[in-house]
Amino acid sequence: MRFGLLGGMLWGLDTVILGIGLAMAPYVGTAEALAFASIAGSFLHDAFCAIWLFGYMGVRGRLKDTVAALKTRHGKFIMLGALLGGPVGMTGYVIAISNIGAGYTAIISAFYPAVGALLAVFVLKERMRARQFAALFAAIAGVMVMGYVTSGSSEAVNAPLGLAGALLCVLGWGSEAVIVAYGMRDDAVDNETAIQIRETTSALVYGICVLPLFGAWGFTVQAAPSLATGVIALAGLAGASSYVFYYKGIQRIGAARGMALNITYSAWAVVFGLILLGTVPNAVSVVCCVVIMAGTVLAACDWDELLGKRGNAGKREEDGGAKGAVG
């Protein structure tokens, strides 16, 4: 469970640093920036994640393992997960924000762990009890409330298109972890090779398909040599580290519980916002953070062990793997 929590914590840090970068020139202040900053920032973020991971795997002498994993059937499933979680999910997210606003997008996109958990139960045969689903939905409710409160009012420009984008986001993000969990069932594809495949695939598809689709290459090239892009590179380091722990958590405890722990990033982002920006959260945000943290931990842990019902002979959840019964 600790890997999932670390992944969520680092993604919260990534979120705050990325927000700092995208709030700097040239990503703000012009009509062009308003149109292209989100797409360009998403591409650069994933590109820097891929670069950091390339260096990490190179130093460890594991690049050959990634190449070998790419040749396997399960490695190709990781690529599929990358497409769904990166370009598909994120593009849907950007479309939703542009058409129904950040507030409604935050509410709808918060359902992705629930969709992913249901897919994990039916596709991967993972087990979650009703009380764990209840805890997960409590955490999701906390994310929804905090997302809406902190994002301000939302004005719909094109509601049908915005809702379609939000649905694409939920399905993309929710299915990514399930497909990746299946891919990592092959011994040739561990969490580190999987995340390198994921980020490299995502960055390439962004660059080849998504940026030309939105006509954002010109702005991206102009924005790249800037201090703000350096901040995005730093966010990419936090993001790459987050994904390493996130995928390790999925491999250890399964997609459903891995996703549950990952949404703690919403609470961690509030903490890092206070530390790095001096942004003092309001009472609603604090309550939501507590609900998110408690709900995700209860959704991911074994309640019998938590309550001491199994004693010292009980099997630890990390040793049970993704297939073990929980709750």
Side-chain angles (χ1 to χ4, degrees):
M1 190 166 67
R2 63 185 181 277
F3 297 115
L5 286 172
L6 280 170
M9 181 183 72
L10 287 167
W11 194 252
L13 177 61
D14 174 290
T15 300
V16 173
I17 296 175
L18 183 60
I20 293 172
L22 293 178
M24 298 168 63
Y27 296 97
V28 293
T30 66
E32 190 179 25
L34 181 64
F36 300 127
S38 295
I39 291 294
S42 298
F43 162 69
L44 289 169
H45 176 271
D46 277 14
F48 282 121
C49 282
I51 292 169
W52 286 116
L53 287 164
F54 185 88
Y56 171 72
M57 295 294 277
V59 168
R60 300 192 65 211
R62 297 208 59 205
L63 292 175
K64 61 182 183 298
D65 296 332
T66 302
V67 174
L70 276 169
K71 298 177 181 178
T72 67
R73 178 171 174 269
H74 284 251
K76 292 177 174 60
F77 271 99
I78 302 296
M79 295 176 69
L80 175 60
L83 293 176
L84 291 171
V88 172
M90 185 57 71
T91 300
Y93 188 70
V94 172
I95 290 172
I97 289 176
S98 299
N99 287 278
I100 60 175
Y104 292 126
T105 301
I107 292 172
I108 298 170
S109 64
F111 278 99
Y112 88 87
V115 172
L118 289 173
L119 288 173
V121 169
F122 288 108
V123 177
L124 301 177
K125 308 303 179 185
E126 294 182 10
R127 303 175 191 175
M128 285 186 72
R129 295 186 178 180
R131 60 193 181 187
Q132 289 176 301
F133 271 110
L136 174 60
F137 277 107
I140 290 173
V143 174
M144 292 167 61
V145 172
M146 185 160 66
Y148 184 76
V149 168
T150 58
S151 60
S153 61
S154 298
E155 183 177 345
V157 176
N158 186 332
L161 180 59
L163 291 172
L167 179 60
L168 194 66
C169 166
V170 170
L171 293 176
W173 289 353
S175 59
E176 176 191 4
V178 176
I179 294 172
V180 165
Y182 176 79
M184 289 191 293
R185 287 183 172 181
D186 188 335
D187 291 339
V189 185
D190 62 16
N191 62 290
E192 292 182 347
T193 56
I195 187 52
Q196 187 180 14
I197 293 171
R198 192 268 188 217
E199 291 296 347
T200 303
T201 301
S202 180
L204 287 174
V205 173
Y206 259 120
I208 296 170
C209 299
V210 178
L211 259 65
L213 177 65
F214 284 86
W217 254 119
F219 173 80
T220 304
V221 171
Q222 293 176 8
S226 65
L227 177 60
T229 300
V231 176
I232 293 174
L234 187 60
L237 176 59
S241 304
S242 169
Y243 260 108
V244 168
F245 288 117
Y246 178 40
Y247 275 30
K248 193 174 186 66
I250 290 172
Q251 194 170 37
R252 287 287 191 94
I253 62 175
R257 294 191 288 165
M259 276 185 289
L261 291 169
N262 193 57
I263 64 172
T264 59
Y265 81 87
S266 299
W268 288 114
V270 173
V271 175
F272 286 115
L274 175 62
I275 294 172
L276 298 179
L277 300 174
T279 304
V280 180
N282 57 33
V284 174
S285 294
V286 172
V287 172
C288 288
C289 286
V290 173
V291 171
I292 292 166
M293 295 298 292
T296 52
V297 169
L298 290 174
C301 73
D302 185 318
W303 286 32
D304 288 336
E305 283 191 4
L306 188 66
L307 297 173
K309 292 182 178 180
R310 291 188 179 179
N312 295 329
K315 190 175 185 181
R316 296 186 62 84
E317 64 175 27
E318 287 86 352
D319 297 330
K323 295 182 181 179
V326 294

